């Protein structure tokens, strides 16, 4: 959208086909960007006729961006952190070019200090490779969430199957380096969570829907992960506090509920809690249960009981070695 604004600020009337070619998008995406600029009070005019297109009203210029030292530092560090966490959109180079543009307009003394910080900054974790969502898809879904309007999406699932869906989007959630949208799939009438990088197209539809009551979008996404369809359904009873268990089995992995009456008990009270989760593999669970260091009972599956016993035997064998 900002690139479109830069093109329009260069003067003259630009056709939709020309702008689409320069931006590498379709014509309808150009029109959506224009609508977003108009929503930001940028005076984009539509010119009709054979040589028509879009232009900026005479005399308009983007106001200068003024940042204090603290503000510039916050913006640049936010770009670096977002890139490393995978919370970027569109091309992988977008955050680099945005950082370069900000540094280019900063006073020299501020730019030198920030460059010095970025050169000295190190991270203990290595940046991962993430699939980033299309910025147009992200903005369209955000608009649908805000105005409670249905949206049509083209989605590819983890098995490569493609489908067209109508979604009543409740919210957009960033989790573990990825973007997700959660909402009701209108065709089946059930809540679903979709990865934004697997959505190829999003288009707002006429109509509206009522916002649901109950958990917020973030909690809905975590619950969806914890109850996703995987090979194994695991049920445990663990004696401890909610905090002790959640430190090893977070909400995105497992659900917790009291095994017995819980009247007057709070999260800090040690008690038997039922833990349910689903997993494609079980080999990671025995070390987690050992690290909990709390009494537990395996209700199902029997394969997990065998893996825990095998781990205990290996640990005991190692401990007996001289």
């Amino acid at each position: 959208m900002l690139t479109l604004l830069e093109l329009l600020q260069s003067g003259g009337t630009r056709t939709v086909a020309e702008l689409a070619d320069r931006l590498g998008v379709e014509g309808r995406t150009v029109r959506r960007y224009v609508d977003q600029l108009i929503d930001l009070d940028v005076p984009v005019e539509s010119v009709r006729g054979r040589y028509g297109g879009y232009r900026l009203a005479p005399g308009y210029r983007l106001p200068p961006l003024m940042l204090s030292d603290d503000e510039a530092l916050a913006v640049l560090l936010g770009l670096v952190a977002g890139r490393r966490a995978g919370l970027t959109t569109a091309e992988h180079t977008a955050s680099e070019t945005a950082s370069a543009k900000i540094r280019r307009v900063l006073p020299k003394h501020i730019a030198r200090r920030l460059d010095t910080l970025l050169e000295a900054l190190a991270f203990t974790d290595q940046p991962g490779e993430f699939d980033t969502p299309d910025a147009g898809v992200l903005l369209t879904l955000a608009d649908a969430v805000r105005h409670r309007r249905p949206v049509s999406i083209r989605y590819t699932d983890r098995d490569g199957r493609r489908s067209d869906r109508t979604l009543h989007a409740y919210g957009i959630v960033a989790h573990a380096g990825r973007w997700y949208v959660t909402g009701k799939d209108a065709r089946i009438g059930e809540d679903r969570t979709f990865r934004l990088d697997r959505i190829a197209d999003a288009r707002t539809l006429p109509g509206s829907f009522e916002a649901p009551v109950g958990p917020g979008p973030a909690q809905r996404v975590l619950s969806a992960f914890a109850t996703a369809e995987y090979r194994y359904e695991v049920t445990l009873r663990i004696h401890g506090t909610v905090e002790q268990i959640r430190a090893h089995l977070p909400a995105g992995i497992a659900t917790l509920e009291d095994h017995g009456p819980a009247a007057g008990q709070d999260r800090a009270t040690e008690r038997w809690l039922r833990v349910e989760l689903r997993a494609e593999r079980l080999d990671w669970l025995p070390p987690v249960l050992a690290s909990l260091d709390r009494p537990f009972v395996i209700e199902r599956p029997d394969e997990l009981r065998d893996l825990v016993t095998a781990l205990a035997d290996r640990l005991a064998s190692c401990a007996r070695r001289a």
Side-chain angles (χ1 to χ4, degrees):
M1 183 178 65
L2 293 177
T3 303
L4 171 62
L5 180 56
E6 290 181 353
L7 293 173
L8 295 177
Q9 284 191 134
S10 63
T13 300
R14 304 291 187 113
T15 66
V16 173
E18 178 187 1
L19 293 170
D21 181 66
R22 291 291 299 274
L23 297 172
V25 299
E26 298 180 354
R28 60 182 177 182
T29 303
V30 172
R31 296 184 182 92
R32 185 168 67 243
Y33 289 164
V34 168
D35 290 339
Q36 291 165 357
L37 288 174
I38 292 174
D39 289 341
L40 294 173
D41 296 326
V42 178
V44 181
E45 297 179 343
S46 177
V47 180
R48 298 184 179 277
R50 181 179 178 182
Y51 301 103
Y54 294 108
R55 68 184 180 193
L56 285 180
Y60 177 80
R61 289 292 183 272
L62 186 67
L65 180 65
M66 304 296 293
L67 294 175
S68 68
D69 292 23
D70 289 344
E71 290 169 339
L73 176 62
V75 171
L76 289 176
L77 288 181
L79 289 171
V80 172
R83 182 169 70 248
R84 292 184 63 88
L87 300 181
T88 56
T89 60
E91 298 179 1
H92 292 278
T93 58
S95 58
E96 284 88 348
T97 56
S99 298
K101 288 180 179 179
I102 293 175
R103 288 200 295 266
R104 193 162 59 240
V105 300
L106 289 175
K108 289 184 178 180
H109 74 283
I110 299 178
R112 283 195 300 267
R113 295 182 66 187
L114 292 177
D115 285 339
T116 299
L117 170 62
L118 294 177
E119 290 174 3
L121 185 62
F123 294 86
T124 57
D125 61 327
Q126 296 299 317
E129 290 295 327
F130 300 101
D131 295 321
T132 55
D134 177 79
V137 169
L138 180 61
L139 292 173
T140 298
L141 290 171
D143 184 73
V145 169
R146 179 179 182 183
H147 298 289
R148 301 299 179 191
R149 297 180 63 185
V151 62
S152 172
I153 63 173
R154 185 170 302 155
Y155 190 71
T156 303
D157 65 16
R158 63 183 177 183
D159 296 322
R161 295 188 296 265
R162 298 181 180 179
S163 60
D164 292 323
R165 302 167 184 258
T166 298
L167 181 67
H168 294 173
Y170 304 152
I172 297 171
V173 179
H175 173 70
R178 298 195 187 279
W179 295 91
Y180 298 89
V181 59
T182 181
K184 178 182 288 186
D185 188 325
R187 181 176 60 85
I188 61 176
E190 296 180 1
D191 287 357
R192 288 290 185 268
T193 296
F194 302 97
R195 271 175 48 175
L196 261 67
D197 59 281
R198 291 178 177 169
I199 298 177
D201 183 56
R203 180 170 50 89
T204 305
L205 301 175
S208 62
F209 63 91
E210 292 294 326
V213 296
Q219 185 58 47
R220 290 176 184 272
V221 169
L222 293 176
S223 297
F225 289 148
T227 58
E229 292 294 334
Y230 289 111
R231 180 180 177 185
Y232 295 101
E233 295 184 1
V234 179
T235 303
L236 310 164
R237 296 197 310 273
I238 301 176
H239 191 272
T241 67
V242 173
E243 285 76 11
Q244 288 170 339
I245 298 173
R246 280 293 183 222
H248 298 268
L249 295 170
I253 295 178
T255 61
L256 300 184
E257 64 179 25
D258 285 285
H259 177 60
Q265 294 181 342
D266 58 26
R267 294 172 61 89
T269 302
E270 289 190 2
R271 59 191 185 276
W272 284 102
L273 293 166
R274 182 180 297 277
V275 180
E276 295 185 350
L277 60 98
R278 302 188 182 192
E280 195 65 27
R281 297 169 52 186
L282 296 174
D283 54 356
W284 61 274
L285 259 176
V288 171
L289 294 175
S291 64
L292 264 170
D293 195 25
R294 304 300 307 164
F296 66 87
V297 176
I298 299 173
E299 292 189 356
R300 62 173 178 171
D302 291 335
E303 294 94 328
L304 178 58
R305 199 185 322 275
D306 296 336
L307 289 173
V308 171
T309 301
L311 175 62
D313 291 341
R314 288 198 303 272
L315 293 176
S317 175
C318 292
R320 285 191 295 266
R321 292 175 185 171

